[in-house]
Amino acid sequence: MSKVFAQISMSLDGYVAGPNDGPENPLGENGESLHEWIVGLDSWRRAHGLEGGEESAVSPLVDEYISRSGATILGRRMFDLGEPHWGDDPPYHTPVFILTHRKRPQQTKLGGTTYNFITDGVSAALARARDAAGDRDVSVAGGANVIGQFIAAGLLDELDLHIVPILLGGGARLFDGLPAMLNTFEQAEVITSPGVTHVRLSVTPAGAGVRS
Ligand SMILES: NC(=O)c1ccc[n+]([C@@H]2O[C@H](COP(=O)([O-])OP(=O)(O)OC[C@H]3O[C@@H](n4cnc5c(N)ncnc54)[C@H](OP(=O)(O)O)[C@@H]3O)[C@@H](O)[C@H]2O)c1
């Protein structure tokens, strides 16, 4: 069965965006520092329709995220902040399912991306995404609130954290409000590259036993 995974850049103090995010500052104050490691990578630039870039130890990982994702789930805040920057040919190239309480009509963009607005919760979004992804995996791309809900519901199989050694001091925090010992996180892989440490964790809901 295909996997449900999230991969996200996080500060040492656990934030995926700094304080006061907004249309002009989608990652909040100092939040751009979270993405410095990725925006210069060849694989990331290709996915965003940009030329150039450098290869690093982590380029294969970024290529893998892109190729394994058959559908993507986003929270409405991440969508509203990111969408103006993603333009007519967004970097997803797959169906995207946006969790929201505000119903909107589907939008079809260039390059295979569709925006589908889901108002009946995380399980419904996942069912739609799995259906769209076929044999490929489902990416829960953020933000913090939505990834937290997938963890809380025991629906996430893998969590890849790109840990950037900065303190943001406020903003959107990844594990906010999650009870202790909700899941077992097992370290599956660690890769270091300049300015960031990548930790791949397999996630098992508490009491579910070990999944194969
Ligand atoms: N560091 C990184 O790599 C990274 C990656 C992604 C995002 N981010 C940042 O993360 C921040 C956004 O994260 P966030 O935690 O604030 O918000 P979010 O998870 O993107 O979106 C939360 C919103 O989604 C809707 N929603 C969530 N669950 C729902 C449900 N079950 N049913 C219906 N609607 C639901 C609600 O919006 P409504 O009810 O208002 O519709 C809710 O307010 C942004 O600053 C973004 O730039 C960072």
Side-chain angles (χ1 to χ4, degrees), residues 9 16 21 26 35 76-78 100-102 143 145-146 149:
S9 298
V16 302
D21 60 10
H35 282 180
R76 195 271 311 159
R77 292 200 70 246
M78 174 176 172
T100 180
H101 292 97
R102 314 168 197 184
N145 174 295
V146 160
Q149 288 185 63

Side-chain angles (χ1 to χ4, degrees), residues 22-61:
E24 301 305 318
N25 199 12
L27 283 165
E29 288 163 23
N30 301 319
E32 286 301 323
S33 309
L34 293 172
H35 282 180
E36 272 171 19
W37 68 271
I38 199 171
V39 294
L41 281 187
D42 51 356
S43 39
W44 184 90
R45 295 182 69 82
R46 263 196 309 281
H48 287 76
L50 300 169
E51 293 184 355
E54 291 175 2
E55 201 174 341
S56 89
V58 81
S59 297
L61 193 69

Side-chain angles (χ1 to χ4, degrees), residues 2 9 19 33-34 55 60 64 72 94 100 111 118 121 128 134 139 157 160 165-166 169 173 183 188 190 206:
S2 67
S9 298
S33 309
L34 293 172
E55 201 174 341
E64 182 201 300
T72 305
T94 63
T100 180
I118 307 293
R128 292 278 307 276
S139 164
D157 299 305
D160 287 18
I166 55 168
R173 197 170 209 164
N183 293 279
V190 178

Side-chain angles (χ1 to χ4, degrees), residues 110-168:
L110 299 175
T113 300
T114 54
Y115 294 141
N116 306 273
F117 299 89
I118 307 293
T119 53
D120 42 4
V122 289
S123 298
L126 181 56
R128 292 278 307 276
R130 276 199 197 282
D131 201 35
D135 292 340
R136 290 202 284 162
D137 291 341
V138 172
S139 164
V140 182
N145 174 295
V146 160
I147 293 176
Q149 288 185 63
F150 272 80
I151 293 172
L155 295 174
L156 203 68
D157 299 305
E158 182 186 312
L159 176 62
D160 287 18
L161 296 176
H162 314 297
I163 301 170
V164 178
I166 55 168
L167 300 176
L168 288 174

